[in-house]
Amino acid sequence: NAAGAAANGIPFGLYYRTYAPNEEIAKLEATYTVMCAQNYGATLPLVMDIEGSTLAALGTAQLQKNIQAFCDVVRAAGYTPMVYSSKSFMNTYIKSCPCDKWIAQYGDNFTYTGGAKYWQCSSHGWVKGIEGRVDIDFRFN
């Protein structure tokens, strides 16, 4: 998808579904994400996707350390870091974040009050030329 977007002049970013149990692994994940962004020419944010019970079990303090480590590596490489998570996970486990946020909250109304750059409102979108469902997202200015 990245190669196709780049070939057609479509701006794109990358996201990495994290499983990092600590800052060291979060830095490695960020380094890999940066390498992919450089290889494909990403111009939009590089996103750390944080969700699931395994990460919830780490607790807020560790998650915040992991987020900070990821964001530091991404920023140092000249990219904009971002964190993706659901409204519920963000409010319950992450709480605060040192970078922009992309919040998944499915439905017609966005009620997350912690500030966000992107809103994912559905995973049931359709785009001509793509097989299967696609996410529907809005970017706030």
Side-chain angles (χ1 to χ4, degrees):
N1 291 338
N8 288 286
I10 299 170
F12 67 94
L14 301 173
Y15 72 92
Y16 190 95
R17 171 74 186 264
T18 185
Y19 292 97
N22 55 49
E23 302 98 306
E24 182 180 330
I25 301 300
K27 287 178 184 179
L28 290 172
E29 291 177 346
T31 300
Y32 176 75
T33 305
V34 166
M35 180 189 72
C36 291
Q38 292 168 336
N39 287 343
Y40 288 105
T43 57
L44 295 178
L46 305 186
V47 184
M48 182 183 210
D49 178 349
I50 305 176
E51 52 192 310
S53 60
T54 301
L55 293 176
L58 295 176
T60 298
Q62 186 61 56
L63 287 173
Q64 289 178 340
K65 289 177 187 176
N66 293 0
I67 291 167
Q68 186 67 56
F70 184 93
C71 291
D72 288 348
V73 169
V74 169
R75 268 194 200 99
Y79 291 93
T80 301
M82 183 176 284
V83 167
Y84 167 90
S85 196
S86 70
K87 174 187 172 187
S88 174
F89 198 95
M90 184 67 74
N91 286 336
T92 304
Y93 300 106
I94 298 173
K95 305 197 189 278
S96 67
C97 181
C99 62
D100 292 336
K101 293 172 269 186
W102 177 5
I103 303 297
Q105 180 185 358
Y106 293 171
D108 294 334
N109 298 306
F110 187 67
T111 60
Y112 177 71
T113 58
K117 291 284 184 173
Y118 292 84
W119 166 32
Q120 184 176 92
C121 68
S122 176
S123 63
H124 289 82
W126 174 86
V127 174
K128 185 178 180 179
I130 298 176
E131 285 188 38
R133 301 181 330 200
V134 298
D135 296 337
I136 299 174
D137 301 274
F138 292 94
R139 183 170 125 177
F140 301 120
N141 291 329

